[in-house]
């Protein structure tokens, strides 16, 4: 398996018309399959582990999920894997040097000497996301499907939010909530002011990281607009604790590709998974 700029390119595509998007984290898995002829999502699934697993335990769970859902019965035109973890940092492209990947990370996250460090370029926004992927997952996906594309979830989130964000001069705080993880993005009128990800257990953890971030950026909790999305809804415990401290609060319904879903699945489709189809 060869790697260049985070794209594992397919030399020749078979005459297939399905796309597969898989998101992998230590807390859960999600995927969906798009039929590109009818522009219909034919299969989707979210799985929460309820606890944090090791990367190799996650691989076993993924193997079981793909078998159970008969995903291997498909031939795919394109496969995209999204790595969701905290092992990343964003670098302005003007300051980015490819040979210094590990140095960008070592002051922010704990990495091992043998960790693979890669990067995604957000060319339209002059940002580079430097991160550590789950190498065992990449190897496993390659064995199953051959060449594929992989990205970090932060790349997908930031690009999607910047593309859809249209607001006045005041900054807006977006928080994407998923299983024990929160991604905080603060956007100005046309640019990204801040992005980071935190693991949380309780609602007190959640509000601590949020208020700490606002304080460090000298943003006023009484005036900032906070938009929550992901696994959060009006009146749940995350929304309620934010309501105690944030005056301008709403549940954000992001713009996602409008693919109809075959059947009536009970699981919602993750924002990042949808934005890679």
């Amino acid at each position: 398996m060869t790697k260049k700029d985070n794209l594992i390119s397919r030399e020749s595509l078979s005459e297939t018309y399905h796309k597969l998007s898989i998101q992998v984290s230590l807390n859960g898995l999600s995927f969906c399959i798009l039929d590109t002829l009818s522009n219909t999502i034919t299969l989707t699934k979210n799985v929460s582990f309820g606890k944090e697993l090791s990367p190799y335990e996650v691989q076993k769970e993924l193997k079981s999920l793909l078998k159970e859902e008969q995903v291997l019965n498909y031939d795919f035109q394109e496969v995209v894997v999204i790595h969701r973890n905290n092992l990343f940092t964003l670098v302005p492209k003007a300051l980015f040097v490819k040979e210094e990947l590990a140095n960008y990370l070592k002051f922010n996250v704990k990495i091992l000497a043998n960790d693979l460090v890669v990067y995604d370029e957000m060319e339209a926004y002059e940002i580079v996301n430097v991160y550590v992927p789950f190498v065992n997952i990449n190897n496993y996906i390659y064995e199953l499907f051959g060449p594929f594309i992989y990205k970090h979830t932060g790349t997908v989130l930031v690009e999607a939010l910047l593309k859809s964000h249209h607001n006045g001069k005041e900054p807006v705080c977006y928080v994407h909530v998923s299983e024990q993880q929160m991604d905080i993005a603060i956007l100005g009128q046309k640019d990204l002011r801040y992005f980071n990800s935190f693991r949380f257990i309780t609602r007190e953890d959640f509000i601590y990281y949020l208020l700490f971030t606002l304080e460090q950026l000298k943003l006023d909790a009484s005036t900032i607009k906070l938009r929550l999305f992901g696994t959060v809804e009006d009146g749940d415990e995350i929304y309620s604790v934010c309501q105690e401290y944030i005056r301008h609060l709403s549940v954000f319904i992001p713009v996602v590709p409008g693919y109809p879903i075959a059947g009536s699945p009970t699981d919602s489709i993750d924002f990042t998974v949808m934005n890679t189809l």
Side-chain angles (χ1 to χ4, degrees):
M1 182 172 65
T2 59
K3 175 81 168 49
K4 184 178 180 180
D5 293 340
N6 274 14
L7 173 64
I8 305 178
S9 60
R10 187 184 293 273
E11 294 181 358
S12 62
L13 293 174
S14 60
E15 294 183 5
T16 58
Y17 51 89
H18 289 98
K19 290 185 178 182
L20 172 64
S21 178
I22 304 173
Q23 181 166 249
V24 181
S25 79
L26 300 183
N27 297 311
L29 299 165
S30 59
F31 78 86
C32 69
I33 296 174
L34 175 69
D35 180 327
T36 62
L37 293 183
S38 63
N39 275 335
T40 300
I41 292 173
T42 59
L43 186 62
T44 178
K45 188 74 174 180
N46 289 344
V47 176
S48 172
F49 303 144
K51 61 179 180 179
E52 191 170 281
L53 304 182
S54 72
Y56 292 96
E57 289 173 324
V58 173
Q59 182 179 333
K60 290 180 181 179
E61 293 289 339
L62 178 59
K63 182 177 180 180
S64 175
L65 178 63
L66 296 180
K67 181 179 180 181
E68 179 183 329
E69 299 296 328
Q70 300 182 346
V71 174
L72 302 183
N73 292 347
Y74 289 80
D75 290 321
F76 293 105
Q77 171 186 329
E78 182 178 86
V79 176
V80 180
V81 176
I82 309 162
H83 295 271
R84 184 173 181 82
N85 59 35
N86 295 332
L87 305 177
F88 75 94
T89 191
L90 300 187
V91 180
K93 190 171 182 179
L95 303 178
F96 178 70
V97 178
K98 187 176 179 180
E99 291 73 25
E100 300 293 333
L101 293 180
N103 288 329
Y104 292 120
L105 280 180
K106 68 181 183 180
F107 296 109
N108 298 319
V109 299
K110 184 178 180 180
I111 61 173
L112 303 176
N114 60 344
D115 278 339
L116 174 67
V117 183
V118 298
Y119 64 94
D120 297 332
E121 287 192 61
M122 293 178 255
E123 295 182 2
Y125 306 105
E126 298 290 313
I127 301 171
V128 180
N129 188 358
V130 180
Y131 66 99
V132 178
F134 300 114
V135 174
N136 65 305
I137 298 296
N138 275 359
N139 290 340
Y140 175 61
I141 294 297
Y142 185 81
E143 289 173 8
L144 292 179
F145 303 112
F148 66 100
I149 297 167
Y150 64 96
K151 300 180 179 183
H152 190 267
T153 187
T155 304
V156 182
L157 275 170
V158 168
E159 287 188 319
L161 287 173
L162 283 170
K163 185 177 180 180
S164 64
H165 177 72
H166 301 286
N167 195 68
K169 297 181 180 180
E170 296 303 317
V172 176
C173 179
Y174 295 87
V175 182
H176 180 250
V177 186
S178 63
E179 181 68 24
Q180 296 185 340
Q181 188 165 332
M182 57 190 295
D183 305 301
I184 304 177
I186 297 177
L187 274 58
Q189 189 173 8
K190 295 180 180 180
D191 62 342
L192 177 71
R193 304 283 182 86
Y194 175 90
F195 181 78
N196 208 349
S197 182
F198 302 94
R199 183 173 181 270
F200 72 96
I201 303 297
T202 66
R203 69 179 208 146
E204 287 76 20
D205 297 335
F206 184 96
I207 197 64
Y208 169 80
Y209 288 125
L210 176 58
L211 294 178
F212 178 79
T213 297
L214 296 178
E215 180 184 9
Q216 293 301 303
L217 296 174
K218 295 181 171 52
L219 295 172
D220 190 343
S222 66
T223 60
I224 189 77
K225 292 180 180 178
L226 174 61
R227 297 178 177 176
L228 303 175
F229 66 109
T231 57
V232 62
E233 58 185 24
D234 191 345
D236 69 11
E237 65 173 7
I238 294 299
Y239 186 93
S240 296
V241 74
C242 290
Q243 205 169 28
E244 295 177 22
Y245 298 91
I246 308 293
R247 179 177 299 175
H248 303 287
L249 170 65
S250 62
V251 173
F252 173 56
I253 301 176
V255 177
V256 296
Y259 304 119
I261 304 173
S264 301
T266 55
D267 293 331
S268 61
I269 303 177
D270 189 275
F271 175 71
T272 51
V273 172
M274 283 289 290
N275 274 280
T276 54
L277 291 175

